[in-house]
Amino acid sequence: MQGVTVVDHPLVQHKLTIMRDQKTSTASFRRLLREISLLLCYEVTRDLELTTRTIETPLTTMEAPTLEGKKLVFASVLRAGNGLLDGMLDLVPAARVAHVGLYRDHETLEAVEYFFKAPSDLENRLVIVVDPMLATANSAVAAVDKLKARKATNLRFLCLLAAPEGIKHFRTAHPDVPVFTASIDERLNEKGYIVPGLGDAGDRMYGTK
Ligand code: PRP
Ligand code: URA
């Protein structure tokens, strides 16, 4: 699928299977999401540009590789995005963070915004939007709309599970934003849940229901 990368690393797939299992506890679910986020972060940042800088090792001087450009921005779609955010910040501790508060109205499946806070200078930065679930994509489209309105131009979307319907909607709305996911599942059900999926990611992370 154009613009979509499925991260099929065996460790990701193994951990995802445990997360899908309804018997997995809240504590394990959260720990696994954090572990998977490290592996997904590795893939979504694989092609970041490098430059070099001069350093002194204990033995000699060398031109050593270092990341080029301005600090990355991770944009977490609340609440469940924070499950990916924490691990990603372990790998890229200098990243800036945006929070986009959205919830899905259970009747209409429209995204309702309740919070937005982002670094003021999004232009010239790579913004990686994180949310475990891309279902109808109403939330993801709204989050990217908002970030683009704040002048972000270079964006990627990272999730754990995507529905084919959500990918189509998202890529139509934002064809310039590549999607990274650990799985493209079968479909959405009549309530807008991903099947086979893993249930409600926020509820499973935080033990709410
Ligand atoms: C979930 C999920 C996404 C959204 C995906 O959030 O984390 O943000 O649903 O669905 P969509 O693609 O159909 O918009 P939810 O609204 O349940 O909020 P929460 O993270 O606070 O639980
Ligand atoms: N949000 C979730 O958390 N899970 C789904 O399956 C769909 C939307």
Side-chain angles (χ1 to χ4, degrees):
M1 230 185 266
Q2 172 90 15
V4 181
T5 301
V6 178
V7 182
D8 58 0
H9 192 288
L11 288 177
V12 171
Q13 296 304 316
H14 178 83
K15 289 174 194 295
L16 179 55
T17 295
I18 305 172
M19 292 180 75
R20 288 183 190 273
D21 188 334
Q22 63 173 345
K23 294 198 292 294
T24 297
S25 69
T26 297
S28 299
F29 188 91
R30 235 183 356 241
R31 178 180 48 77
L32 287 157
L33 185 55
R34 192 183 182 104
E35 290 169 4
I36 285 187
S37 69
L38 300 174
L39 299 160
L40 295 178
C41 184
Y42 180 81
E43 287 297 334
V44 78
T45 56
R46 178 179 278 283
D47 63 351
L48 290 188
E49 300 220 344
L50 291 171
T51 182
T52 58
R53 69 183 178 91
T54 310
I55 58 166
E56 303 287 335
T57 78
L59 301 179
T60 187
T61 303
M62 78 173 281
E63 284 299 305
T66 186
L67 289 174
E68 187 168 53
K70 292 185 130 189
K71 302 274 186 291
L72 302 187
V73 175
F74 296 146
S76 171
V77 180
L78 303 176
R79 294 175 295 169
N82 279 2
L84 290 173
L85 174 70
D86 292 343
M88 293 182 67
L89 285 172
D90 284 348
L91 278 193
V92 191
R96 306 304 191 231
V97 176
H99 290 96
V100 187
L102 293 171
Y103 70 85
R104 267 199 338 171
D105 181 292
H106 284 296
E107 299 298 320
T108 65
L109 301 185
E110 292 302 319
V112 182
E113 186 185 324
Y114 60 88
F115 186 79
F116 184 83
K117 188 85 181 170
S120 55
D121 55 344
L122 293 181
E123 61 265 48
N124 308 320
R125 292 184 189 269
L126 172 61
V127 179
I128 301 177
V129 183
V130 299
D131 187 336
M133 311 302 272
L134 186 69
T136 64
N138 288 341
S139 306
V141 168
V144 171
D145 282 346
K146 189 85 190 175
L147 291 158
K148 283 185 173 174
R150 293 285 294 268
K151 302 216 165 45
T153 55
N154 185 11
L155 295 111
R156 297 176 187 184
F157 183 82
L158 175 65
C159 61
L160 195 54
L161 296 189
E165 298 91 328
I167 291 178
K168 192 165 169 219
H169 177 195
F170 184 78
R171 293 282 303 160
T172 302
H174 295 295
D176 56 314
V177 181
V179 172
F180 292 75
T181 184
S183 175
I184 302 174
D185 274 15
E186 279 170 35
R187 62 184 170 87
L188 292 179
N189 71 10
E190 62 290 346
K191 292 188 172 156
Y193 278 86
I194 299 174
V195 179
L198 52 72
D200 185 305
D203 284 347
R204 294 204 59 192
M205 272 176 63
Y206 294 119
T208 49
K209 191 89 177 106

